[in-house]
Amino acid sequence: DGLGATVRALRPDVILNAAAYTAVDRAESEPDLARRINAHAPAALAREAAACGALLVHYSTDYVFHGHGQRPWAEDDPTGPLNVYGQTKLAGEQAIVQAGCRHLILRTSWVYAARGGNFARTMLKLAAEREQLKVIADQFGAPTGADLLADVSAHAIRRVREQPSLVGTYHCVADGETTWHAYARFVIEWARARGHAIRVAPEAILAVPTTEYPTPARR
């Protein structure tokens, strides 16, 4: 109960949970670890937030949906995760709601930043090492900057403190949409134009369907 003891000692006004098990494919072989981090830990934070009256801000994912259809997902759409990662993230959301604490659950997607592991940084690394890349072109999403998430979170916390009825679940992504292939081409060309060492040629960034790139977790 170290997590709960820490919260009880600090008695915070706001708890912001940015921790998660995000290795989507590895989660298929480590479901217990993924569930402890993505479901049990948020549940513990939610119980402590309810006990001390804190606002809990928690980040979730588009993976709580099954991904079929042709329109963007709304917050009240039925969920239906296809893999362990999505299932454990949904369980975390549900635990927070059931705990009865004041909360903001922000579902986001395709997060990138200058540091840490993310798709953009992986593509830049591979583009400097390889002469050809194959990137999936039939999965769609909205790349979202960690800096945008941070700014929105700060404003959302302020608004909820002023207007408590605004608590709940929100989708928080950048505007527009793209594919992994188009995203990779944009990132690599952006880096090339700024003098970064890029080995792969633009025409050697090949578009492939999901069926050509099997993974342990269903997308």
Side-chain angles (χ1 to χ4, degrees):
D1 192 36
L3 185 60
T6 299
V7 174
R8 289 191 293 273
L10 294 173
R11 297 195 60 79
D13 296 316
V14 178
I15 300 170
L16 194 147
N17 179 35
Y21 184 111
T22 59
V24 176
D25 288 317
R26 197 164 69 238
E28 296 297 310
S29 59
E30 296 182 338
D32 292 339
L33 178 59
R35 187 166 297 277
R36 285 200 298 272
I37 297 172
N38 290 343
H40 297 169
L45 287 174
R47 289 193 297 269
E48 297 301 332
C52 70
L55 170 68
L56 174 60
V57 181
H58 175 76
Y59 299 97
S60 192
T61 172
D62 57 331
Y63 277 80
V64 300
F65 298 108
H66 53 66
H68 304 304
Q70 299 296 322
R71 64 170 180 81
W73 294 101
E75 285 85 349
D76 58 355
D77 282 333
T79 53
L82 299 177
N83 52 50
V84 169
Y85 170 67
Q87 292 161 3
T88 59
K89 290 296 289 183
L90 179 59
E93 289 188 13
Q94 294 169 337
I96 290 170
V97 174
Q98 291 167 4
C101 67
R102 294 187 302 128
H103 63 270
L104 283 171
I105 296 172
L106 303 180
R107 292 173 177 156
T108 190
S109 71
W110 296 21
V111 177
Y112 65 88
R115 296 183 297 276
N118 58 73
F119 178 81
R121 284 171 55 85
T122 298
M123 289 299 103
L124 290 177
K125 179 178 182 296
L126 294 177
E129 299 171 350
R130 301 182 183 180
E131 295 183 351
Q132 185 184 84
L133 295 176
K134 294 182 178 180
V135 188
I136 291 170
D138 58 357
Q139 293 181 25
F140 294 81
T144 303
D147 53 348
L148 174 62
L149 284 172
D151 287 347
V152 170
S153 298
H155 287 293
I157 291 168
R158 176 180 56 82
R159 287 295 306 279
V160 166
R161 289 168 70 89
E162 296 171 349
Q163 192 173 342
S165 62
L166 292 176
V167 296
T169 299
Y170 295 91
H171 291 174
C172 184
V173 295
D175 193 20
E177 66 179 42
T178 189
T179 65
W180 288 120
H181 176 259
Y183 183 18
R185 290 200 60 162
F186 174 82
V187 169
I188 291 168
E189 290 310 304
W190 180 92
R192 193 194 310 275
R194 285 157 179 77
H196 293 272
I198 301 296
R199 186 176 182 183
V200 66
E203 63 273 14
I205 306 172
L206 307 181
V208 299
T210 299
T211 53
E212 286 193 23
Y213 197 81
T215 58
R218 292 177 62 196
R219 261 55 176 190

